């Protein structure tokens, strides 16, 4: 189980740092079949979505797997904010194929779906039963994750987020067994992502950096990764949104997203993600978009207890340090909002379908989210409700 130290002790405690094996660089996709075979997989189920299937990447991967002597099948019925029903259907596809491992090719939704399929393949039951921390006790089948976006960090993380459509909320599943065996990160895949998806993924990565750096479970390894990643996102996101075929920007954003993913999977997250998950489930809104709206408000909320940490992050992206830590933290919040606006994100939750009458329910669900455990400021219902109101 997750052990949460008091604030201020996270940098001076024994920590465990976990990542998958990582293959990184342009052309890395060509090595994916070798990685799958090295895990002893013979009949992989490739999880992707129908948008990804219209790019060259899926057929290229399937061809590589076949040339390697493997027998793949593809499962493509995945949507953004993946539903529990899609995980169940994926588990059926896994069984029908007689699969012995998984390859996830796509964004965070695809990778989370593949993780959910792996959980059910090994442990049985219903995916929503695994909400919480370390509920999947049986080791999962091998999983190779190949991200097609630069942002979710799902390819290196222990998180799996699934939409409970009956309750209209997202379920957070966390556990070391959910970390993929291998992450194959090829920046060339980002070139086929639409600009709005690049922006959403990038703002998600930025949120990972900020929340990991102030998390109660942070450590020196995660801090270094979070700061480096934040600088990378800040420098390259706008450039990539404007020119998705910019190879240098794609490489830098992919590297930043990977660093951010390694930071947050070990440090965990905070109130922005805990508040984002209920909104995403309730309104079926893109996760990165919701994060981009909430993050400036959460920075101001948390600055009551950790303005000095936000001042460090502000310095890492070149903001002025004049006026004291709280002033600098507010400046960082303003600049995050400005970046979000420049890459096309909305400034409030209202365009996403959130209404004033929804906020008490969203607050209740946010307080129950696992990510809230590591938020630096002890959350209370009135404070979280006020943050939602400010973001509305």
């Amino acid at each position: 189980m997750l052990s949460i130290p008091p604030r201020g002790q996270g940098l001076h405690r024994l920590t465990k740092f976990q990542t998958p094996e990582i293959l990184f660089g342009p052309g890395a996709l060509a090595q994916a079949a070798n990685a799958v075979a090295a895990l002893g997989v013979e009949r992989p189920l490739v999880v992707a979505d129908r948008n990804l299937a219209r790019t060259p990447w899926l057929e290229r991967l399937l061809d590589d797997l076949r040339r390697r002597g493997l027998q793949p099948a593809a499962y493509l019925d995945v949507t953004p904010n993946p539903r529990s029903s899609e995980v169940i259907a994926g588990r059926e596809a896994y069984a029908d194929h007689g699969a012995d491992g998984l390859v996830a090719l796509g964004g965070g939704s695809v990778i989370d779906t593949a993780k959910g399929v792996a959980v059910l393949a090994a442990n049985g039951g219903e995916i929503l039963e695994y909400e919480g921390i370390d509920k999947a006790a049986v080791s999962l089948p091998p999983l190779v994750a190949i991200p097609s976006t630069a942002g979710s960090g799902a390819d290196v993380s222990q998180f799996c987020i699934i939409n409970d459509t009956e309750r209209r909320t997202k379920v957070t599943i966390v556990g070391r067994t959910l970390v993929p065996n291998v992450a194959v990160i090829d920046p060339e895949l980002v070139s086929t992502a639409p600009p709005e998806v690049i922006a959403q993924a990038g703002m998600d990565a930025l949120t990972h950096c900020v929340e990991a750096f102030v998390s109660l479970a942070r450590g020196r390894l995660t801090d270094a990764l979070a700061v480096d990643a934040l600088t990378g996102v800040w420098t390259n996101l706008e450039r990539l949104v404007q020119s998705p075929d910019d190879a240098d920007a794609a490489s830098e954003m992919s590297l930043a997203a990977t660093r951010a993913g390694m930071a947050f999977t070990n440090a965990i997250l905070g109130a922005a993600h805990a508040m984002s998950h209920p909104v995403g489930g309730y309104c079926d809104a893109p996760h990165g978009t919701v994060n981009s709206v909430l993050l400036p408000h959460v920075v101001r909320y948390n600055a009551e207890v950790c303005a000095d940490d936000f001042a460090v992050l502000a310095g890492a992206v070149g903001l002025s340090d004049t006026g004291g830590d709280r002033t600098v933290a507010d400046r960082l919040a303003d600049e995050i909002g400005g970046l979000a606006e420049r890459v096309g994100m909305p400034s409030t939750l209202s365009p996403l379908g959130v209404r004033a009458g929804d906020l008490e329910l969203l607050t209740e669900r946010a307080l129950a989210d696992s990510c809230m455990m590591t938020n630096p400021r002890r959350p209370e219902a009135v404070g979280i409700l006020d943050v939602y109101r400010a973001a509305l």
Side-chain angles (χ1 to χ4, degrees):
M1 295 294 289
L2 187 64
S3 176
I4 307 300
R7 174 162 166 73
Q9 295 184 12
L11 298 179
H12 305 287
R13 66 187 179 93
L14 178 65
T15 58
K16 180 179 180 180
F17 189 89
Q18 185 167 350
T19 66
E21 177 183 349
I22 296 173
L23 303 176
F24 183 96
L29 179 63
Q31 299 302 315
N34 290 335
V36 175
L39 292 169
V41 176
E42 296 179 352
R43 297 181 63 84
L45 180 69
V46 178
V47 180
D49 62 36
R50 299 196 181 277
N51 288 329
L52 196 287
R54 289 191 282 269
T55 72
W57 314 123
L58 178 60
E59 281 306 317
R60 189 173 301 179
L61 173 63
L62 292 172
D63 288 345
D64 288 346
L65 291 168
R66 295 183 186 110
R67 280 193 293 269
R68 194 64 177 73
L70 309 183
Q71 300 177 60
Y75 172 68
L76 304 178
D77 292 329
V78 180
T79 59
N81 296 321
R83 282 77 168 143
S84 55
S85 60
E86 294 166 3
V87 175
I88 294 169
R91 170 65 181 97
E92 293 172 354
Y94 186 92
D96 290 345
H97 182 55
D100 54 357
L102 291 129
V103 183
L105 176 66
S109 295
V110 165
I111 298 172
D112 282 350
T113 301
K115 289 180 181 182
V117 171
V119 167
L120 296 188
N123 293 267
E126 300 291 335
I127 191 59
L128 301 179
E129 297 171 357
Y130 295 94
E131 179 178 11
I133 300 171
D134 292 331
K135 297 291 182 64
V138 179
S139 297
L140 309 190
L143 170 61
V144 173
I146 310 170
S148 62
T149 60
S152 79
D155 47 296
V156 295
S157 86
Q158 61 174 320
F159 282 73
C160 172
I161 312 297
I162 302 298
N163 196 352
D164 180 347
T165 52
E166 289 190 10
R167 292 192 299 149
R168 292 178 65 189
T169 192
K170 286 185 175 182
V171 166
T172 302
I173 302 168
V174 187
R176 298 290 182 179
T177 60
L178 277 79
V179 178
N181 299 82
V182 183
V184 179
I185 302 166
D186 187 338
E188 292 181 354
L189 274 61
V190 177
S191 67
T192 54
E196 63 271 19
V197 172
I198 293 173
Q200 293 161 6
M203 292 306 298
D204 191 20
L206 188 148
T207 308
H208 296 156
C209 301
V210 173
E211 294 216 284
F213 191 77
V214 300
S215 166
L216 292 179
R218 64 191 285 203
R220 292 185 175 181
L221 288 171
T222 61
D223 273 6
L225 287 164
V227 171
D228 284 348
L230 179 63
T231 302
V233 174
W234 205 269
T235 305
N236 292 282
L237 178 56
E238 287 182 77
R239 179 180 162 194
L240 186 60
V241 169
Q242 293 168 3
S243 302
D245 58 351
D246 185 327
D248 289 339
S251 289
E252 291 300 322
M253 274 300 300
S254 294
L255 182 59
T258 303
R259 286 171 167 164
M262 290 191 291
F264 90 77
T265 190
N266 288 284
I268 317 301
L269 292 160
H273 273 78
M275 297 174 69
S276 177
H277 292 152
V279 173
Y282 196 74
C283 299
D284 200 19
H287 175 64
T289 302
V290 182
N291 276 343
S292 73
V293 174
L294 289 171
L295 183 60
H297 302 283
V298 171
V299 168
R300 295 187 185 96
Y301 172 78
N302 283 333
E304 291 289 338
V305 299
C306 59
D308 53 337
D309 290 329
F310 290 128
V312 172
L313 294 179
V317 297
L319 301 184
S320 169
D321 62 357
T322 59
D325 288 345
R326 182 54 197 263
T327 298
V328 176
D330 287 340
R331 188 175 298 134
L332 175 64
D334 291 341
E335 291 295 329
I336 290 170
L339 175 61
E341 182 178 359
R342 292 194 299 276
V343 298
M345 298 291 100
S347 59
T348 68
L349 294 174
S350 296
L352 304 178
V354 180
R355 300 293 178 259
D358 304 327
L359 298 186
E360 290 190 3
L361 175 61
L362 294 175
T363 297
E364 177 184 343
R365 291 176 173 178
L367 288 168
D369 191 282
S370 298
C371 292
M372 199 66 88
M373 293 174 60
T374 46
N375 191 67
R377 180 176 175 181
R378 182 178 178 181
E380 295 180 351
V382 64
I384 298 303
L385 182 59
D386 285 346
V387 174
Y388 272 131
R389 285 175 176 152
L392 189 59

